[in-house]
Structure formats: structure tokens, C-alpha cells
Amino acid sequence: MKQKVVLGSAYLGPVEYYTKLFAYGDVRIERFDHYMKQTYRNRCVIASAEGPLALAVPTEKGDALKCLMKDVRISDHGNWRHVHWNAFVAAYRHSPFFDYYADEFQAFFVKKYAFLYDFNMELCRWVCEQIDLCSVLSPTDDFAAEIPDADDFRELIHPKRNYKESDPDFVAAPYYQVFERKFGFLPNLSVADLLFNMGPESLLVLRDSMAKKTADSLP
């Protein structure tokens, strides 16, 4: 395990994503890759009363066929901020910690961010602050296909990949979920699910969601 990791930008990324923030002190968030839909760049998955629910941030179509992540603009289409906020309220209003975080969390759906990358980064830093994740998050300076001094998870953490195959260092430790009696434990949901259900103990879940060989290498 190296000291640095490079990740793709993610909208309230999954628990797997945040285990990397736990494990590495130096975290680089890629901003010069080409934007692709149906990834965690603009979507997260939460547990609703009807089961897993994907929430997608709409983006504007750029002039170029291949738009860099740093240049992707958020669209106002479909009143999505209102839709997402209501979805979080409906899903987590009965969770143990939603009320504690609600006011600060709601502010992200009131303010209008121009760029998706900036929105994701500020949300990520806010989550880290709430659960005392001390990693240093930095944007990349340019794009490199290979990064010899860092572990690269830019394309490995992906909603269409089976994390059990692509990331054997991640083991989804179970934790309390509001709808667990109805659906059983749903692994690797958005960090929002972890935060609202577990609060400050989210850090322990991240620790326990790492394979022993990885956890043993931590300082």
C-alpha cells in the first residue's frame, strides 16, 4: 500500500470511496479526466422506503465531445436540488443523526454551484470534517494515465463494477440502516447513508470495512 491515492470526483461517494480517504493521508481527486455519465461523478445511491434509490445531478452539455471533469457545469434541470433534498429527508428523517447534520447538509442544496467538481469537493470535505477524517484532499494538476507513486482507484470505484472483484481490500462492514428490517443490509451505499445512520461512529465502520492486510498497514 502506497502513501498516496488518486480518486475520481464523486457526488457523496460510496462507503468504499471513503475507506480510501481513511486509509491514505494524501488524497488526490482527479479533475482532468473526461467526464462520463452513469458513474459516481454525478450520482449517489441511498436507501429509500422503496429500496436503493439513485440520485443524479444533471449536467449541462458542453461544446466539446469530451469535456474535462473540471469544466462540467451543473444544470438546473428538473429542480433537482429540491428533489434530492426531499429524497434525503424522506429516507433519513427517522435515522439517528439526520437532524444533527440536516441544516448544514441542506445548505449544499440551497447554494447554486456552477461546477460539479467544486460541488463534489466541498461536500466531500464537509463529510470528512463531520466524521474526523483527516486526509488532505488536493485536486490533480494534470492528467496522467499512470501514477507510479500512488494507488489508482479512479476507474475501479464504479457503480457498474463488482467491488468484491475490483477492490478486494474493501469489505462492506454492516451497520445500522433505517430500512434494514425491510431489505436487509444494503452494502456500499452513499456515505450519506453511513453518516445519517452512524454519525461519529462512521469512522469505525470505515475502519472495519477494510481488509485486515490493509488495516494492518495503517499508521
Side-chain angles (χ1 to χ4, degrees), residues 37-74:
K37 294 183 177 181
Q38 298 186 348
T39 67
Y40 289 124
R41 292 174 177 88
N42 75 319
R43 69 177 53 216
C44 67
V45 181
I46 65 174
S48 76
E50 304 302 321
L53 173 66
L55 299 173
V57 177
T59 58
E60 295 182 358
K61 294 181 180 179
D63 295 331
L65 181 62
K66 293 184 177 180
C67 185
L68 297 183
M69 180 62 201
K70 71 179 183 66
D71 297 325
V72 174
R73 290 181 174 272
I74 295 175

Side-chain angles (χ1 to χ4, degrees), residues 44-195:
C44 67
V45 181
I46 65 174
S48 76
E50 304 302 321
L53 173 66
L55 299 173
V57 177
T59 58
E60 295 182 358
K61 294 181 180 179
D63 295 331
L65 181 62
K66 293 184 177 180
C67 185
L68 297 183
M69 180 62 201
K70 71 179 183 66
D71 297 325
V72 174
R73 290 181 174 272
I74 295 175
S75 170
D76 290 330
H77 179 74
N79 198 17
W80 72 269
R81 294 175 182 85
H82 179 73
V83 171
H84 284 211
W85 171 247
N86 283 348
F88 284 113
V89 172
Y92 298 111
R93 60 189 169 191
H94 298 303
S95 66
F97 294 95
F98 182 76
D99 287 344
Y100 182 80
Y101 298 113
D103 288 346
E104 289 188 17
F105 186 65
Q106 185 180 17
F108 288 98
F109 300 93
V110 174
K111 177 180 177 180
K112 290 192 174 183
Y113 290 81
F115 294 97
L116 179 62
Y117 185 91
D118 298 336
F119 177 58
N120 288 350
M121 184 68 97
E122 287 200 25
L123 260 175
C124 185
R125 284 176 169 151
W126 179 80
V127 170
C128 289
E129 182 179 342
Q130 306 317 304
I131 60 178
D132 290 331
L133 266 177
C134 299
S135 298
V136 177
L137 306 182
S138 305
T140 55
D141 296 321
D142 52 28
F143 182 80
E146 297 183 3
I147 307 176
D149 63 338
D151 287 328
D152 186 354
F153 288 92
R154 288 175 294 184
E155 299 302 328
L156 292 180
I157 300 178
H158 192 288
K160 293 186 177 182
R161 283 183 177 267
N162 182 344
Y163 66 81
K164 294 179 181 179
E165 298 176 357
S166 62
D167 186 9
D169 287 337
F170 173 67
V171 287
Y175 57 87
Y176 169 81
Q177 292 178 332
V178 175
F179 302 109
E180 187 169 356
R181 287 187 178 182
K182 188 174 183 181
F183 302 111
F185 176 69
L186 299 174
N188 208 27
L189 295 177
S190 166
V191 71
D193 184 84
L194 177 63
L195 179 67

